[in-house]
Amino acid sequence: ERISDLSKTKLLKLVYLLDVYTTKQTGIPFLGLRYEVWRMGPVNQDLYAEFSSSSKIFDNYVDIDNTGAFPVIRPKKPFEDDEFSDQDIDMLDAVIEKYGAYQANELSLITHKRGGLWDTAAEKNGLKDFFNNSQTHTTNCLINLKDLLDDDVKKQKYEGYLEDERIQQTLNA
């Protein structure tokens, strides 16, 4: 609700930047989504699909307004922070303050920054030529948020987080 003209692209970039920011700060991503190296940047495939059609998962929370030049995501009701800790809210606020006013194309420049996770993964996996020649637009090559960390304590927290996720997935299977 605090970001006007929230397009799908801008939303996808902000979600990624939120996970990057929180991983750098705490060693644990905010949402813990998987991001793939796509031509247009790091993308969570599930969110991309969800906001490429009529939203089903978020239907109670947002509307997708298709009346303008590009679809805009608008809240259906005010944000409820009762599911979030004070630290979570601080992290959300920091990302909104830092990146919320940027346009989607400006956020793309940030997420494609030379030496960043997307750039490094695209280079390492030989994807840049495919992207530049429009041979492909999507890949299943994953971005590893652990590559952000140079602090051993945060690396251990991240590994612990991943282990907790694996255990939870096993229990849910």
Side-chain angles (χ1 to χ4, degrees):
E1 65 190 12
R2 291 176 37 202
I3 301 172
S4 61
D5 296 330
L6 183 61
S7 67
K8 175 180 67 174
T9 301
K10 185 171 180 175
L11 172 72
L12 294 171
K13 302 291 183 197
L14 288 171
V15 166
Y16 170 75
L17 290 167
L18 176 63
D19 267 352
V20 165
Y21 180 81
T22 57
T23 301
K24 283 181 181 178
Q25 296 298 312
T26 67
I28 299 173
F30 192 90
L31 297 169
L33 299 175
R34 294 168 40 116
Y35 299 96
E36 297 172 347
V37 180
W38 286 16
R39 181 175 170 263
M40 298 307 288
V43 175
N44 175 269
Q45 187 178 73
D46 294 331
L47 276 182
Y48 178 86
E50 180 67 20
F51 286 102
S52 293
S53 60
S54 295
S55 178
K56 295 161 196 71
I57 295 172
F58 301 108
D59 192 44
N60 292 331
Y61 307 100
V62 298
D63 276 321
I64 300 175
D65 179 357
N66 290 304
T67 59
F70 58 88
V72 175
I73 301 163
R74 301 197 195 289
K76 283 187 174 181
K77 56 185 181 178
F79 176 70
E80 296 176 22
D81 66 359
D82 56 336
E83 297 285 326
F84 300 96
S85 70
D86 289 344
Q87 182 182 15
D88 291 341
I89 297 299
D90 290 344
M91 298 284 185
L92 284 166
D93 286 342
V95 170
I96 290 170
E97 186 172 316
K98 185 170 185 174
Y99 300 111
Y102 285 95
Q103 298 298 317
N105 62 335
E106 295 169 317
L107 293 173
S108 288
L109 294 174
I110 292 167
T111 60
H112 282 79
K113 184 175 68 174
R114 187 148 182 77
L117 293 179
W118 179 91
D119 180 69
T120 302
E123 187 73 37
K124 177 179 163 186
N125 291 283
L127 299 171
K128 287 187 173 182
D129 286 339
F130 289 104
F131 292 150
N132 291 335
N133 297 327
S134 295
Q135 290 175 295
T136 189
H137 295 281
T138 65
T139 74
N140 60 0
C141 177
L142 293 176
I143 290 176
N144 188 353
L145 293 176
K146 184 180 176 185
D147 292 343
L148 292 167
L149 305 174
D150 52 12
D151 176 281
D152 286 339
V153 173
K154 288 180 183 172
K155 284 181 183 178
Q156 288 175 344
K157 285 177 77 174
Y158 188 80
E159 288 298 327
Y161 161 79
L162 291 179
E163 183 60 27
D164 289 348
E165 288 295 306
R166 284 190 283 273
I167 291 169
Q168 191 63 40
Q169 287 176 357
T170 302
L171 293 174
N172 290 338

